[in-house]
Amino acid sequence: MHTRTGPKINQIIITPIAIVDPPLLNAAGLHAPYALRTIVEIITDDNISGISEIPGTAAIDASLNESRELLIGRDVFQLSEIRQVLINRFGTESAAQRGEAPWDQRKLVHIFSAIEVACLDIIGKVTGRPVVDLLGGKMRDRVPFSAYLFYKYEGAGGPLAFGTDPTVQGWAAARQASALNPTEIVAQAKAMCAEFGFQSIKLKGGVFEPQQEVDAMFALYEAFGPDVPLRVDPNALWTVETAIKHGRQMEPILEYLEDPVRGQKNMAEVRKAVKTPLATNMCTTSFEDIPGSIALGSEDIILSDHHFWGGLRASMTLSGICETFGRGLSMHSNSHLGISLAAMVHLGAALPQVPYALDTHYPWQSDEVITAGRFTFEEGAVLVPQEPGLGVELDREALARLHQNYLDCGLTKRDDEIEMQKVQPGWKFQSVRW
């Protein structure tokens, strides 16, 4: 019997890009005028191309470059072997190495997720099936997302930085307006929901003194009523006492409370004291964290992210573990374009249950790197692409332009503290602030 082999990796093209990002505030400081992403393209020996997108840093790009020599000539179907080869080179990184940063900078999970998604895109094209079918098949035709609100300074980001374009209207105008108090947050929410039809709302907190953020949540509840689920994410900046006090205050209005405190032990303490479900993408962020999470009872919902959990198939494994231990599963997001969104949508469609609308930063982005242009949202949901693979193709002109942005902007990694110091000299990130 002749054993079939899949197409072999012939070329891996790594392109760092910079995309326009408004001055959004968070626990770590302030978004720079550009967010960095890295686009990976794998081309097989029979000239089939697969693409992926990950959060960009010069360090991860260097590791991706290093992984090239290990992967050229390998069969794209042999993903477990590819993963093992990368583990042998880069090792597995412990949760401790994730450190205090509000976002994940572990190399291996980034690199493997980038390679895996591009390979799945190719496998889909070879088999004529969308990626969702490679993950076990489609459980839903549309994947729901949540409005993701940010406190922000006035400004459009990119070349305008803190300046604005007076000619734009609708969400494009609202996206550059300041949002520094409850009234402005409600205005932002109304504009975003009008444009994208979102049915639930999340606020990125950890920016202001807690009561002000609680007031914003109550203002949203007043404006949108009891049928729109609300969630807030203080990014682990609160003490246990603060979290219990304000968690109890918000019990009548919250769908869930995300990462009010730092670490599984503190989360478990808050969880015992507050009726609202707790969600995390900070205290349980890898498979090795799960035994501790279950033993302590640190959260009700894990916010997965295929970029950080080691790819789409690992996220399906996570879904099974969550089911076993009675955890809800939803999805975390960071500033991204359509390739990441496509991957998130395929995963969201394959998950057995999606009880909570998924996070996305997509409304905050105005650039795009796929030929079809920006994804459209209907009633806050995205239709699952039906074409083979991810169902999106690289726009090479846009890629070249966004790569030039990267070269011009001079950023090599995300550093929200430095950006914040431009507005508030001497500002320092504190892992627990209130």
Side-chain angles (χ1 to χ4, degrees):
M1 191 180 108
H2 177 61
T3 311
R4 291 185 63 178
T5 56
K8 304 264 194 297
I9 296 174
N10 184 43
Q11 230 185 324
I12 301 175
I13 302 162
I14 297 148
T15 312
I17 62 171
I19 59 179
V20 169
D21 205 21
L24 306 178
L25 288 154
N26 65 80
L30 178 67
H31 284 210
Y34 292 93
L36 305 183
R37 303 295 283 176
T38 296
I39 307 299
V40 175
E41 183 179 14
I42 294 178
I43 301 170
T44 62
D45 50 5
D46 52 357
N47 221 27
I48 300 167
S49 158
I51 54 176
S52 65
E53 171 195 341
I54 56 168
T57 74
I60 285 166
D61 294 346
S63 299
L64 271 168
N65 275 308
E66 208 183 309
S67 67
R68 266 201 188 106
E69 61 185 277
L70 306 172
L71 302 178
I72 302 289
R74 292 191 186 274
D75 178 339
V76 295
F77 280 75
Q78 303 305 320
L79 288 167
S80 298
E81 179 191 305
I82 285 171
R83 183 169 176 272
Q84 194 55 52
V85 164
L86 293 171
I87 287 172
N88 293 347
R89 168 61 63 92
F90 298 105
T92 52
E93 292 151 303
S94 71
Q97 284 166 284
R98 190 193 149 163
E100 295 272 88
W103 55 87
D104 203 314
Q105 299 176 60
R106 291 171 297 172
K107 281 181 193 165
L108 180 72
V109 286
H110 279 82
I111 294 165
F112 182 68
S113 76
I115 299 298
E116 185 216 46
V117 169
C119 286
L120 287 172
D121 191 20
I122 292 166
I123 293 168
K125 289 172 181 174
V126 169
T127 56
R129 307 299 296 236
V131 164
V132 63
D133 287 354
L134 309 178
L135 301 176
K138 191 162 65 166
M139 298 295 286
R140 57 200 61 78
D141 293 321
R142 292 148 48 97
V143 174
F145 288 90
S146 174
Y148 200 158
L149 310 181
F150 277 81
Y151 287 106
K152 70 180 291 290
Y153 292 126
E154 183 176 76
L160 288 171
F162 295 103
T164 58
D165 176 353
T167 65
V168 295
Q169 292 174 314
W171 170 242
R175 180 168 54 200
Q176 56 186 18
S178 77
L180 298 168
N181 56 52
T183 307
E184 291 179 333
I185 285 290
V186 168
Q188 184 187 99
K190 286 184 169 170
M192 194 188 276
C193 292
E195 176 75 17
F196 298 94
F198 293 122
Q199 313 284 304
S200 59
I201 297 171
K202 166 174 166 171
L203 173 65
K204 174 65 89 176
V207 174
F208 292 114
E209 182 275 317
Q211 189 59 52
Q212 184 183 329
E213 299 187 350
V214 171
D215 292 346
M217 295 313 295
F218 275 96
L220 288 166
Y221 186 76
E222 286 291 305
F224 287 87
D227 297 334
V228 175
L230 300 179
R231 35 183 107 147
V232 62
D233 173 16
N235 255 140
L237 241 67
W238 293 354
T239 62
V240 168
E241 296 70 32
T242 300
I244 291 171
K245 177 187 164 187
H246 292 299
R248 284 178 174 161
Q249 207 181 338
M250 293 186 285
E251 272 175 357
I253 66 166
L254 285 192
E255 175 186 35
Y256 65 68
L257 174 56
E258 180 182 339
D259 285 315
V261 291
R262 190 167 291 275
Q264 290 183 337
K265 197 168 149 295
N266 289 341
M267 284 283 282
E269 212 176 315
V270 175
R271 187 172 177 234
K272 285 191 191 87
V274 174
K275 292 191 183 81
T276 306
L278 297 192
T280 188
N281 82 292
M282 291 183 75
C283 80
T284 303
T285 61
S286 67
F287 290 101
E288 67 173 286
D289 291 335
I290 288 172
S293 152
I294 304 307
L296 290 164
S298 57
E299 76 283 308
D300 303 277
I301 302 152
I302 293 176
L303 302 176
S304 75
D305 185 324
H306 73 271
H307 306 92
F308 300 148
W309 279 84
L312 298 174
R313 294 173 321 134
S315 303
M316 294 302 293
T317 301
L318 175 63
S319 151
I321 293 171
C322 285
E323 212 173 318
T324 303
F325 291 105
R327 293 286 185 268
L329 184 69
S330 191
M331 207 177 285
H332 163 265
S333 157
N334 52 29
S335 309
H336 64 90
L337 297 181
I339 303 173
S340 278
L341 183 60
M344 291 162 74
V345 168
H346 283 286
L347 175 58
L351 292 171
Q353 270 107 28
V354 178
Y356 305 97
L358 312 178
D359 287 351
T360 179
H361 283 57
Y362 197 67
W364 292 106
Q365 277 29 90
S366 48
D367 291 309
E368 193 43 285
V369 73
I370 55 176
T371 51
R374 289 182 59 76
F375 270 89
T376 51
F377 286 70
E378 290 167 28
E379 293 171 11
V382 176
L383 276 170
V384 183
Q386 294 177 15
E387 299 80 8
L390 287 175
V392 294
E393 296 297 329
L394 207 47
D395 177 337
R396 296 186 186 281
E397 277 178 34
L399 183 70
R401 184 169 47 77
L402 296 174
H403 178 57
Q404 193 58 50
N405 276 359
Y406 173 81
L407 298 174
D408 294 343
C409 79
L411 297 168
T412 57
K413 64 172 185 178
R414 180 175 170 182
D415 192 332
D416 291 20
E417 186 177 79
I418 282 179
E419 292 303 318
M420 189 68 157
Q421 287 167 358
K422 293 176 183 174
V423 182
Q424 294 184 29
W427 189 91
K428 280 273 175 231
F429 168 67
Q430 290 166 257
S431 55
V432 178
R433 199 179 281 272
W434 287 288

